[in-house]
Amino acid sequence: MMPKKAKAAGSRKEEGPVPCKQMKVEAAGGPSALNFESPSSLFESLISPINTETFFKEFWEQKPLLIRRDDPALATYYGSLFKLTDLKSLCSQGMYYGRDVNVCRCVSGKKKVLNKDGKAHFLQLRKDFDQKRATIQFHQPQRFKDELWRIQEKLECYFGSLVGSNVYITPAGSQGLPPHYDDVEVFILQLEGEKHWRLYHPTVPLAREYSVEAEERLGRPVHEFTLKPGDLLYFPRGTIHQADTPVGLAHSTHVTISTYQNNSWGDFLLDTISGLVFDTAKEDVELRGGIPRQLLLQVESTAVATRRLSGFLRMLADRLEGSKELLSSDMKKDFIMHRLPPYSAGDGAELSTPGGKLPRLDSVVRLQFKDHIVLTVLPDQDQSDEAQEKMVYIYHSLKNRRETHMMGNEEETESHGLRFPLSHLDALKQIWNSSAISVKDLKLTTDEEKENLMSGTQHLWKKVSYRGCLRDGEKPELEGGKNSVFTWKD
């Protein structure tokens, strides 16, 4: 699911505006509710009637897609995700300007922020909304709205990337934001009222940063249309857009669901290259050789340095071609640390497994919550550089806090999981790749190692952190709880 080189919207020169009817528009029928059976079924139902193969072949990272839906039941469901009236109860929980909510309006092509200081009060928000025609932007509503949590958690499993959201509530005859483009893939769900949209060719296809575009540089819109409740709009990062609520209508509410920020091949290359260089330097004395004297003092790169670097890069490429193990230093860990925990209605009982006994050698085990686990091989961070050896790390997101999802570094984030000696890698891969496997069939040397592996993972999903380093023949220190990453039968 990594981005591909693609001809993005805006790479083709056009004369004048393209009529809205020429945009890809699908009329959806059939089921009116989203399908939460699996991450793939959720996404399929979200973009229905477009199938996923067509979506990723023709639209993803390439051009916008508008899906119109004349489905009262779906419109009602969308409307339940977030309403203007929800702000009253949310403000009573302690919402703050800037962190949770922004009040803004587009004036002469520029964003005017109307935030107050401190806590946001519903009566003041409503006053600015009614009298100043201001847009209310609510940040990351999945922190409070269960159904958005449910949707976004499934989408994070589907994309393997963080999925955030913002709600925009705009009064009639007003516009909240100036023309701009974003650094994320965008899915817009119209919840209440109607919103008039104008899309323009990107000046920076697949942009890596947010930027406002001046009105005089825009030209005519490539696509222009009005979203109604139940409609869905997708457009790639870099697509210039602006939206307003038509005069004479009720207010508009839409939610913008976004993903794939800093999730490009370039980001992945930066993430993996350090581990590749580290491993290669252990075996290749040339990479351990010193750079020329005063190289760091040069204003421009020297021909000698350029040739050497080019040679090293070719050598690394050759090494990578023959490797099956891709080291991911930070992206895997960052994703699993900051993503949503599994959706759980009520008291979260579905995350628990009955009983507290350990699997035996004759038990058959199955991995649970696979979409919320990453397995990676990294140098042991607790050893000095000279003595570092590779360890198998298993990180999980069961203990992640929904309340801080996508809120930046507001609070220190802690990683949760286990680490094992490299000798356990094959056994862990067996469990990962099997629908069910007998403990006695695990590729470990002794029965004690197999039992220790089970005791280590038995409590992985209890909401605690693990600090100890497991060595061959050692058992991990466990902190309470009877939740399990495995289910098993004897």
Side-chain angles (χ1 to χ4, degrees):
M1 292 293 297
M2 302 307 296
K4 301 176 181 178
K5 291 283 185 180
K7 187 176 181 181
S11 57
R12 177 172 59 88
K13 187 175 180 181
E14 299 207 21
E15 297 293 336
V18 175
C20 186
K21 65 180 181 181
Q22 291 188 19
M23 184 180 181
K24 182 68 175 181
V25 179
E26 293 288 338
S32 60
L34 299 180
N35 184 347
F36 290 93
E37 184 177 340
S38 68
S40 58
S41 65
L42 182 277
F43 186 70
E44 287 166 2
S45 64
L46 186 68
I47 64 169
S48 175
I50 293 288
N51 63 54
T52 54
E53 182 179 357
T54 299
F55 176 78
F56 287 105
K57 182 179 180 180
E58 298 184 12
F59 299 100
W60 177 255
E61 298 190 329
Q62 298 171 68
K63 60 184 179 182
L65 169 66
L66 169 62
I67 300 178
R68 294 199 181 280
R69 294 184 167 114
D70 185 15
D71 186 335
L74 185 61
T76 299
Y77 172 74
Y78 273 23
S80 71
L81 296 178
F82 201 104
K83 300 183 179 71
L84 171 61
T85 53
D86 289 337
L87 289 172
K88 186 173 184 178
S89 61
L90 287 169
C91 285
S92 68
Q93 299 178 44
M95 301 296 111
Y96 287 82
Y97 285 103
R99 185 192 70 179
D100 302 299
V101 65
N102 274 337
V103 179
C104 58
R105 185 175 181 185
C106 179
V107 179
S108 301
K110 295 184 179 180
K111 178 181 178 180
K112 184 177 182 180
V113 179
L114 305 172
N115 287 352
K116 305 295 190 292
D117 294 327
K119 282 188 177 181
H121 299 283
F122 177 70
L123 291 179
Q124 182 63 53
L125 289 177
R126 192 63 201 249
K127 181 179 179 181
D128 290 337
F129 182 80
D130 292 330
Q131 297 182 7
K132 297 182 180 179
R133 320 307 296 160
T135 288
I136 300 172
Q137 177 188 16
F138 194 89
H139 301 308
Q140 310 304 336
Q142 72 277 7
R143 295 177 293 149
F144 308 100
K145 303 293 286 184
D146 285 354
E147 199 67 6
L148 285 172
W149 172 21
R150 190 182 182 197
I151 291 170
Q152 290 174 233
E153 182 262 328
K154 278 286 190 290
L155 290 177
E156 287 187 332
C157 293
Y158 183 75
F159 285 109
S161 176
L162 295 175
V163 175
S165 68
N166 284 311
V167 165
Y168 297 87
I169 309 173
T170 304
S174 186
Q175 179 170 328
L177 300 176
H180 66 280
Y181 60 79
D182 298 297
D183 58 348
V184 286
E185 301 294 303
V186 172
F187 296 86
I188 291 166
L189 282 60
Q190 186 67 24
L191 310 183
E192 294 182 306
E194 299 182 8
K195 202 68 172 282
H196 169 238
W197 286 83
R198 287 169 285 174
L199 307 184
Y200 308 81
H201 278 318
T203 53
V204 184
L206 301 183
R208 290 182 56 82
E209 57 186 19
Y210 168 94
S211 180
V212 173
E213 285 287 337
E215 289 272 5
E216 57 269 18
R217 295 183 54 193
L218 292 178
R220 295 177 178 179
V222 179
H223 303 296
E224 187 169 2
F225 49 86
T226 299
L227 290 183
K228 298 182 180 182
D231 291 347
L232 179 141
L233 170 65
Y234 158 80
F235 52 81
R237 53 197 189 276
T239 302
I240 302 169
H241 57 280
Q242 60 178 325
D244 61 273
T245 303
V247 176
L249 299 179
H251 69 270
S252 164
T253 303
H254 76 264
V255 60
T256 296
I257 297 176
S258 58
T259 190
Y260 258 64
Q261 185 179 51
N262 300 327
N263 212 46
S264 68
W265 277 116
D267 296 303
F268 193 62
L269 180 62
L270 287 172
D271 191 46
T272 57
I273 196 73
S274 60
L276 185 62
V277 171
F278 180 85
D279 285 349
T280 306
K282 284 184 177 180
E283 303 171 9
D284 194 303
V285 69
E286 285 192 79
L287 271 178
R288 301 199 300 272
I291 61 176
R293 289 180 301 103
Q294 299 187 343
L295 178 63
L296 302 181
L297 302 176
Q298 303 300 316
V299 176
E300 297 179 348
S301 179
T302 66
V304 171
T306 300
R307 282 198 304 272
R308 292 302 298 275
L309 286 175
S310 297
F312 287 138
L313 288 173
R314 282 189 286 270
M315 177 182 65
L316 291 173
D318 291 340
R319 181 185 177 95
L320 189 60
E321 287 284 346
S323 173
K324 292 183 179 180
E325 302 293 340
L326 275 179
L327 295 177
S328 177
S329 300
D330 296 310
M331 287 181 71
K332 280 188 174 185
K333 185 177 179 181
D334 181 74
F335 170 53
I336 213 71
M337 284 174 60
H338 294 97
R339 63 167 303 184
L340 283 163
Y343 172 78
S344 59
D347 60 3
E350 63 268 39
L351 297 184
S352 301
T353 55
K357 64 179 181 179
L358 294 173
R360 301 192 298 264
L361 284 175
D362 57 351
S363 298
V364 176
V365 297
R366 178 178 64 86
L367 189 64
Q368 289 193 117
F369 306 113
K370 187 174 180 179
D371 289 332
H372 285 266
I373 306 168
V374 294
L375 188 154
T376 188
V377 177
L378 296 171
D380 187 352
Q381 301 301 308
D382 285 351
Q383 294 184 358
S384 64
D385 290 342
E386 293 78 9
Q388 272 189 332
E389 60 179 306
K390 290 182 182 178
M391 301 290 291
V392 182
Y393 285 80
I394 300 178
Y395 296 110
H396 69 83
S397 59
L398 263 288
K399 195 185 177 182
N400 290 3
R401 294 183 60 211
R402 167 194 179 190
E403 295 80 7
T404 59
H405 183 242
M406 300 297 290
M407 295 302 289
N409 296 322
E410 185 176 276
E411 295 184 14
E412 185 178 350
T413 304
E414 189 178 26
S415 60
H416 311 291
L418 289 171
R419 55 181 177 168
F420 295 90
L422 195 60
S423 60
H424 285 54
L425 179 59
D426 287 341
L428 290 167
K429 283 185 175 181
Q430 278 181 283
I431 298 170
W432 185 275
N433 293 322
S434 301
S435 57
I437 188 170
S438 173
V439 174
K440 64 184 177 184
D441 293 332
L442 294 176
K443 294 180 179 178
L444 289 169
T445 305
T446 66
D447 289 346
E448 183 182 12
E449 287 179 323
K450 297 171 185 179
E451 291 175 340
N452 287 346
L453 178 59
M454 290 298 99
S455 66
T457 51
Q458 154 73 3
H459 292 72
L460 177 60
W461 297 116
K462 178 61 184 173
K463 297 179 180 178
V464 296
S465 299
Y466 295 87
R467 297 298 184 200
C469 176
L470 285 170
R471 300 294 182 185
D472 290 322
E474 291 182 350
K475 292 186 178 180
E477 294 183 4
L478 303 174
E479 302 178 34
K482 297 179 181 179
N483 294 352
S484 176
V485 68
F486 295 109
T487 55
W488 66 87
K489 60 181 180 179
D490 296 324

